Amino acid sequence: MKILLLDKNHPLITEQLLSKNFILEEDFTSSYQEICSKIQNYDGVIIRSRIPLDKNFLEQGKNLKFIARVGAGMENIDIPVAEKLGIKLINSPEGNRDSVAEHVVGMLLILMNRLFIASNQVKNGIWLREENRGDELLGKTVGLIGYGNMGKATAKRLYGFGCNVIFHDILPNLSDEFATQVSLEELKENAEVLSLHIPLNEETNYLIDEKFISEMKNKFYFVNTARGKNVKTKHLVDALRSGKVKGACLDVLEYEKSSFEKLESENDDLNFLLNSEKAIVTPHIAGWTHQSKQKLAQVIVDKIVDGFC
């Protein structure tokens, strides 16, 4: 099988697939149009986020048997068209679930205990104790939306902090020793921390908006390591200003490019987040550890080998 690699990833992908007699070609620089013009020559493609695999692309790939994304989200692929054409879709959420879960907990601890703020103050000769009194995770009810790989890994860690973890998911009967499944209404009634672990699709686009926030009974901390467009930023900023949202931990932003390489635009809402003590913002790195890079690649290799050797 002939496979085209469109993004740089861990070298084990190349090493291990070559050892299984796959034919590999790399193209990390050609444009969308250039890739479309030659994609019919390949049986498979391995991507991260650089090129959108839309209807036109997929129809040009007349011999494609699989698309493998080194990551979890598949929104860059026209899934209905791929399925109609019989192209197998492969992703690797198992590979970075642990790094995402640790990032969630890390951001919450930093935000709730004012660690960056207090550290910067001390480094500048300011010694404030009462003003930097923290807020404990212990005993808080954490609501997760989505209980796949990322949600489960996050629940396991928060359970260890003594949190009461509840979650809502579209699939039934997912409760385990770390978290209890509830209706969305029950989650809104009880959660003091809200964390998203969902894909981006028609149902989840701008899921967190003014209406959703108003339906949360408690003031709450908010965490998003899923996709930026799961959240209407203006409505989140309004809630931060009003105090309904006590603080926000954002690894993803509505204003990111589809390739996640940089921000598309700047505006007053983004500037508020970047300058507010109530927000922590990181550059889409929750699943981006040294360990996850290798694990993501290994999952992809294993799935390709299992499916096509």
Side-chain angles (χ1 to χ4, degrees), residues 221-286:
Y221 295 99
F222 177 69
V223 186
N224 189 13
T225 55
R227 287 293 183 262
K229 287 186 171 61
N230 292 139
V231 181
K232 192 67 176 175
T233 307
K234 183 183 188 316
H235 298 172
L236 174 63
V237 167
D238 289 344
L240 284 165
R241 291 182 188 275
S242 73
K244 180 62 182 285
V245 174
K246 298 167 74 174
C249 302
L250 306 173
D251 182 54
V252 291
L253 292 166
E254 180 183 354
Y255 315 112
E256 286 180 76
K257 290 179 67 68
S258 60
S259 62
F260 312 134
E261 293 172 345
K262 60 183 180 180
L263 295 175
E264 286 186 315
S265 62
E266 294 186 21
N267 55 48
D268 290 343
D269 294 321
L270 176 60
N271 288 333
F272 173 86
L273 293 173
L274 298 181
N275 292 284
S276 174
E277 289 188 349
K278 291 185 175 183
I280 292 178
V281 184
T282 53
H284 206 130
I285 56 169

Side-chain angles (χ1 to χ4, degrees), residues 70-121:
V70 184
M74 304 287 273
E75 70 272 10
N76 220 32
I77 303 168
D78 191 325
I79 294 174
V81 171
E83 292 175 342
K84 182 179 178 181
L85 295 172
I87 302 170
K88 183 175 182 179
L89 300 179
I90 300 168
N91 65 343
S92 52
E94 306 93 333
N96 61 355
R97 60 190 173 193
D98 295 314
S99 61
V100 169
E102 290 189 12
H103 199 89
V104 170
V105 174
M107 286 197 297
L108 280 171
L109 292 174
I110 289 167
L111 181 74
M112 295 170 66
N113 291 283
R114 298 175 59 85
L115 298 182
F116 279 164
I117 298 166
S119 177
N120 286 333
Q121 288 174 350

Side-chain angles (χ1 to χ4, degrees), residues 10-282:
H10 197 285
L12 75 80
I13 291 180
T14 300
E15 295 166 4
Q16 294 188 21
L17 290 179
L18 285 174
S19 73
K20 296 293 184 180
N21 298 317
F22 289 92
I23 300 168
L24 305 183
E25 291 186 12
E26 298 176 346
D27 189 338
F28 304 148
T29 59
S30 290
S31 67
Y32 167 86
Q33 290 79 10
E34 291 168 330
I35 298 296
C36 282
S37 69
K38 66 177 183 178
I39 193 61
Q40 73 273 8
N41 299 321
Y42 300 93
D43 300 293
V45 59
I46 299 176
I47 64 166
R48 202 164 65 226
S49 302
R50 185 172 70 87
I51 297 289
L53 276 58
D54 57 13
K55 183 175 186 289
N56 174 62
F57 181 101
L58 297 172
E59 289 179 344
Q60 297 298 318
K62 300 182 185 301
N63 295 306
L64 282 178
K65 297 175 179 63
F66 74 85
I67 296 166
R69 178 167 189 270
V70 184
M74 304 287 273
E75 70 272 10
N76 220 32
I77 303 168
D78 191 325
I79 294 174
V81 171
E83 292 175 342
K84 182 179 178 181
L85 295 172
I87 302 170
K88 183 175 182 179
L89 300 179
I90 300 168
N91 65 343
S92 52
E94 306 93 333
N96 61 355
R97 60 190 173 193
D98 295 314
S99 61
V100 169
E102 290 189 12
H103 199 89
V104 170
V105 174
M107 286 197 297
L108 280 171
L109 292 174
I110 289 167
L111 181 74
M112 295 170 66
N113 291 283
R114 298 175 59 85
L115 298 182
F116 279 164
I117 298 166
S119 177
N120 286 333
Q121 288 174 350
V122 172
K123 289 178 179 180
N124 285 284
I126 302 169
W127 189 274
L128 298 175
R129 298 185 68 227
E130 184 59 34
E131 292 85 348
N132 285 307
R133 192 180 288 274
D135 193 7
E136 295 180 8
L137 270 172
L138 178 67
K140 284 191 169 48
T141 296
V142 179
L144 310 177
I145 300 183
Y147 206 62
N149 283 279
M150 313 303 177
K152 290 176 182 178
T154 301
K156 183 176 181 179
R157 284 150 179 83
L158 290 171
Y159 176 85
F161 275 84
C163 296
N164 171 39
V165 187
I166 58 177
F167 69 89
H168 175 72
D169 195 282
I170 59 174
L171 298 177
N173 304 317
L174 298 178
S175 294
D176 57 25
E177 65 268 39
F178 304 116
T180 302
Q181 189 163 7
V182 298
S183 67
L184 190 57
E185 290 71 26
E186 188 173 345
L187 184 145
K188 292 175 181 177
E189 180 75 15
N190 293 285
E192 299 165 281
V193 179
L194 176 66
S195 185
L196 301 188
H197 302 277
I198 51 178
L200 180 63
N201 54 41
E202 290 184 5
E203 288 73 32
T204 64
N205 189 61
Y206 295 141
L207 174 68
I208 307 302
D209 60 6
E210 182 180 29
K211 180 177 184 295
F212 190 105
I213 293 169
S214 70
E215 291 171 348
M216 294 285 289
K217 178 181 178 181
N218 302 310
K219 295 180 179 179
F220 65 98
Y221 295 99
F222 177 69
V223 186
N224 189 13
T225 55
R227 287 293 183 262
K229 287 186 171 61
N230 292 139
V231 181
K232 192 67 176 175
T233 307
K234 183 183 188 316
H235 298 172
L236 174 63
V237 167
D238 289 344
L240 284 165
R241 291 182 188 275
S242 73
K244 180 62 182 285
V245 174
K246 298 167 74 174
C249 302
L250 306 173
D251 182 54
V252 291
L253 292 166
E254 180 183 354
Y255 315 112
E256 286 180 76
K257 290 179 67 68
S258 60
S259 62
F260 312 134
E261 293 172 345
K262 60 183 180 180
L263 295 175
E264 286 186 315
S265 62
E266 294 186 21
N267 55 48
D268 290 343
D269 294 321
L270 176 60
N271 288 333
F272 173 86
L273 293 173
L274 298 181
N275 292 284
S276 174
E277 289 188 349
K278 291 185 175 183
I280 292 178
V281 184
T282 53

